[in-house]
Amino acid sequence: MFESNLTADPSNRKTSRRAFLLSAATVGGGLYLWHMSLFSKKTETAEASVENKANQTPQEVTIVEFTDSGERKDTVHVPKIVKSDAEWQRELPPNAFNITRHDDTEMAFTGQYWNNHDSGLYRCICCGTALFSSDTKFESGTGWPSFYQPIAEENVESINDNTFGMRRTAVACTRCDAHLGHVFSDGPKPTGQRYCMNSASLKFVKKA
């Protein structure tokens, strides 16, 4: 009955179609506004979380200090460095920001230090904490600077990383939580470890 009436009167068919399109547009617009509202709330929540974290009393961490020549100094308790994304973005090159603050990875054989053979110290690009010595650097063939151990266990943290469906161990700077790279159990003696780092996370200080 409904179908025959539409056929018989074209104006009814046009009116029905117009009403349908208007209804669909209204629903679609409502869904879009709802989605944008949720997105806005999530963004505000994330920003507020970072701001609240930055305003809290900094957690203290233990690190070992080193001179630029690699001489071990004191073990100290220092406040963890916490900054907002906006602050880090102002201080770091884009590549370093994406890698250290958002766990990105540079392409193999493109980093500044993968083929560096000079003697010296590798510090965190974000906070300057000593991380690795050239004495423990080795040729891994991976295209990333690789070390068989950190300069001090206190200066780096190991974090479980299950992204991309893989079980890996990420490595971060103890002082500022900068993402450095990953550690694998296929390195040389004496540790058998391969700390596979991003050049963009490091700042090399050449030994005088």
Side-chain angles (χ1 to χ4, degrees):
M1 176 71 76
F2 180 72
E3 185 176 350
S4 61
N5 283 341
L6 287 179
T7 305
D9 189 348
S11 64
N12 285 343
R13 186 168 54 205
K14 290 179 180 179
T15 301
S16 251
R17 184 177 300 163
R18 190 179 299 114
F20 171 77
L21 292 174
L22 180 60
S23 175
T26 302
V27 172
L31 288 173
Y32 174 77
L33 291 174
W34 175 74
H35 171 75
M36 292 306 295
S37 174
L38 284 180
F39 178 78
S40 177
K41 286 179 181 177
K42 287 180 179 179
T43 302
E44 290 173 2
T45 301
E47 290 175 350
S49 176
V50 171
E51 185 176 349
N52 289 338
K53 190 175 181 181
N55 290 334
Q56 291 174 358
T57 303
Q59 170 193 352
E60 280 208 343
V61 293
T62 300
I63 62 170
V64 181
E65 293 184 325
F66 288 82
T67 65
D68 284 346
S69 62
E71 179 187 353
R72 187 182 179 110
K73 296 179 70 178
D74 298 328
T75 299
V76 296
H77 302 288
V78 293
K80 181 180 279 289
I81 296 175
V82 179
K83 298 180 182 181
S84 68
D85 260 12
E87 289 175 302
W88 285 122
Q89 202 160 17
R90 284 194 296 268
E91 296 176 13
L92 298 169
N95 194 34
F97 170 74
N98 291 333
I99 289 171
T100 60
R101 310 323 310 180
H102 290 281
D103 302 348
D104 203 353
T105 302
E106 66 196 9
M107 291 181 63
F109 302 101
T110 63
Q112 185 177 0
Y113 302 129
W114 74 270
N115 200 31
N116 182 29
H117 299 284
D118 291 333
S119 296
L121 192 70
Y122 292 84
R123 293 186 179 275
C124 175
I125 195 171
C126 294
C127 69
T129 298
L131 300 172
F132 298 95
S133 167
S134 60
D135 293 340
T136 64
K137 191 173 185 289
F138 68 96
E139 293 299 323
S140 64
T142 61
W144 288 280
S146 300
F147 308 83
Y148 60 76
Q149 68 183 25
I151 197 166
E153 294 292 338
E154 295 91 336
N155 293 9
V156 299
E157 290 184 339
S158 297
I159 304 165
N160 289 331
D161 179 5
N162 297 318
T163 56
F164 306 112
M166 296 182 288
R167 290 186 178 181
R168 297 182 295 173
T169 301
V171 180
C173 171
T174 299
R175 182 80 193 273
C176 70
D177 291 333
H179 174 71
L180 306 174
H182 291 83
V183 59
F184 304 92
S185 299
D186 58 3
K189 294 179 179 179
T191 66
Q193 300 296 299
R194 171 170 60 92
Y195 284 82
C196 189
M197 303 291 99
N198 290 286
S199 294
S201 299
L202 308 172
K203 180 179 180 180
F204 179 69
V205 181
K206 189 174 181 178
K207 193 171 183 177

